[in-house]
Amino acid sequence: MRAHPVVGDSLLAALLLLLDLMLFGLDSASPRSTLKPWYITIPVDLAMTLPIVFRRRSPLVVAYVVLVISILHSTLQLGVSSLAASAIALYTLVVYVGRKQASWYLAAQAGTGAVQLALTWKPANWVFAIIVALTFAFSWVLGEFVGARRAYQGELEARLHLLETERDQAGRIAVAQERGRIARELHDVVAHAVSVIVVQADGASYAVRTNPDLAERAVQTISSTGREALAELRRLLEVLRNNEEGEGGPRIPQPDAESLEELADRVRQAGVPVAMRIEGPLAGLPAGVSLGVYRIVQESLTNTLKHAGRGARAEVVVVRAEDQVDVVITDDGAGKARALVPAEPPLPGGNGVIGMRERANVYGGSLEVGPARGGGWRVHAILPVRLRQ
């Protein structure tokens, strides 16, 4: 009915028409029948009920059409559809148009009704007038209730739409901020690589005649470091959105995957037991990938401290393969939250998963975050490793 309101209104109009036709059949069988012939009754009944079908599309026009036809219908005493259609029209005006137009319509109905009662005055008309008044009062009250409910639902839908828009906007802002943070860190990595290249180039220039072997090793270091710096520079250009945020604040040395044990010690000192298992060497990882592994583990353990609760335990497994690094962080999520990781700058609150996903995406990796089997939380990240050539 809500998807196709014309169907419901058509059924309502058909019901009113059927009711009038039944009354016409009963009264026509009576020897004291005062009803008009069928070729007058049926067209007037149709004209009385048909506008109800279009009451939602043109409520004001339908209301006054019903008002005009109801005068003829009630004067001929053809049934109850004139009263019912008038009450439905009043209800429709209250719900879909407003109180002002409904008040004018009600005044018009009261005026025409008073004139009809005055012209055909009988003692029993008082009873009919009370019934009409109660019917219109019920229609008005019902219209007020339904109209208020529709207004509340519309306001609720508008607020939900606004909240969804704000949430999407906040997500985009968080992504931009995290990419800016990653870009600043990659900027430090590239700057360090360039510094290494300059130092090695100076050393090679001094040793090229006196110590050719040392100069050759320096040139090889320059070559490998330059390739890594070029790869990091490409990633920096991909994630950099603006350079305003990167110009302020002091530059600090960035951690890497070899600092994971120190990170685990700080988490243990904060009260969360951490089991660390590292398979394979992490020393030869590209600087950006090594930093990404560290940040993902750091954010995951920070979330454990914030949300897993008192008594929670965490496990970190880092597996270095030939072409990728597989990182899995799990916790059992028991108890109540405790302190944060000390002596470490906090990551942006509420945007941890966004930051981890952005770090994985920068290096062409993947990230899966969700509840673990048996309880707790699980973070699984895969970061491809591009070997130096």
Side-chain angles (χ1 to χ4, degrees):
M1 292 296 185
R2 291 182 178 178
H4 305 282
V6 176
V7 176
D9 293 335
S10 299
L11 292 176
L12 182 59
L15 180 62
L16 292 178
L17 178 62
L18 180 62
L19 182 60
D20 272 1
L21 292 179
M22 290 176 60
L23 292 176
F24 173 77
L26 292 175
D27 286 352
S28 61
S30 173
R32 298 183 179 181
S33 176
T34 59
L35 290 177
K36 303 299 179 181
W38 65 267
Y39 53 83
I40 296 178
T41 301
I42 294 179
V44 176
D45 284 339
L46 283 172
M48 187 73 259
T49 56
L50 187 60
I52 299 300
V53 178
F54 309 100
R55 68 182 182 92
R56 299 178 200 250
R57 294 184 179 180
S58 304
L60 198 59
V61 174
V62 168
Y64 284 98
V65 169
V66 167
L67 173 62
V68 173
I69 300 177
S70 65
I71 297 174
L72 176 62
H73 191 277
S74 59
T75 301
L76 298 177
Q77 298 180 358
L78 299 181
V80 298
S81 62
S82 58
L83 176 59
S86 299
I88 293 172
L90 177 62
Y91 161 84
T92 305
L93 288 178
V94 174
V95 174
Y96 295 99
V97 180
R99 295 189 183 95
K100 182 177 180 180
Q101 295 293 342
S103 299
W104 284 109
Y105 177 75
L106 182 60
Q109 283 282 6
T112 56
V115 172
Q116 286 181 305
L117 288 176
L119 294 178
T120 60
W121 173 252
K122 295 178 182 178
N125 287 353
W126 282 110
V127 178
F128 180 73
I130 293 174
I131 294 175
V132 171
L134 291 176
T135 302
F136 282 143
F138 175 77
S139 299
W140 186 285
V141 172
L142 182 62
E144 288 284 353
F145 173 77
V146 175
R149 186 175 179 180
R150 285 173 56 86
Y152 173 77
Q153 184 176 0
E155 180 68 18
L156 186 62
E157 292 176 354
R159 290 189 178 183
L160 288 176
H161 179 71
L162 180 60
L163 289 176
E164 291 177 356
T165 303
E166 291 179 349
R167 181 195 61 188
D168 295 341
Q169 183 68 18
R172 286 192 292 269
I173 293 174
V175 169
Q177 291 176 346
E178 188 61 31
R179 287 185 176 180
R181 172 188 171 89
I182 297 172
R184 292 193 299 272
E185 293 176 349
L186 292 181
H187 173 274
D188 295 338
V189 172
V190 173
H192 172 72
V194 173
S195 299
V196 171
I197 291 174
V198 172
V199 172
Q200 294 293 329
D202 291 340
S205 65
Y206 288 116
V208 66
R209 293 184 179 86
T210 60
N211 194 342
D213 293 337
L214 180 60
E216 183 181 358
R217 289 197 299 271
V219 171
Q220 291 175 352
T221 302
I222 291 172
S223 176
S224 60
T225 305
R227 287 190 175 91
E228 181 181 346
L230 183 61
E232 299 297 340
L233 183 59
R234 291 195 184 101
R235 297 190 184 99
L236 174 61
L237 295 176
E238 290 176 0
V239 302
L240 190 60
R241 288 295 177 266
N242 59 74
N243 57 5
E244 296 177 358
E245 296 182 3
E247 295 177 355
R251 296 295 183 184
I252 60 175
Q254 299 296 340
D256 53 23
E258 296 181 81
S259 305
L260 290 177
E261 287 290 352
E262 299 177 4
L263 174 64
D265 290 338
R266 288 195 298 271
V267 177
R268 294 187 189 105
Q269 294 173 5
V272 175
V274 179
M276 178 73 67
R277 180 161 59 92
I278 300 176
E279 299 180 6
L282 301 179
L285 289 175
V289 174
S290 182
L291 175 61
V293 171
Y294 180 90
R295 290 304 189 194
I296 290 175
V297 175
Q298 179 195 23
E299 178 63 30
S300 300
L301 293 179
T302 301
N303 288 337
T304 299
L305 286 168
K306 288 181 179 179
H307 308 297
R310 187 179 300 276
R313 297 176 177 271
E315 181 182 9
V316 179
V317 179
V318 181
V319 179
R320 163 72 188 275
E322 183 178 357
D323 58 348
Q324 69 179 30
V325 179
D326 197 295
V327 183
V328 179
I329 306 98
T330 56
D331 64 64
D332 53 14
K336 187 177 179 182
R338 302 188 70 173
L340 297 178
V341 181
E344 190 71 32
L347 295 178
N351 301 322
V353 176
I354 294 176
M356 291 189 290
R357 181 167 287 112
E358 285 300 316
R359 291 183 183 276
N361 291 338
V362 164
Y363 296 97
S366 62
L367 179 76
E368 296 179 0
V369 181
R373 293 183 178 179
W377 203 253
R378 181 176 184 270
V379 177
H380 182 202
I382 299 176
L383 279 72
V385 177
R386 295 176 176 85
L387 299 178
R388 300 176 182 176
Q389 300 177 351

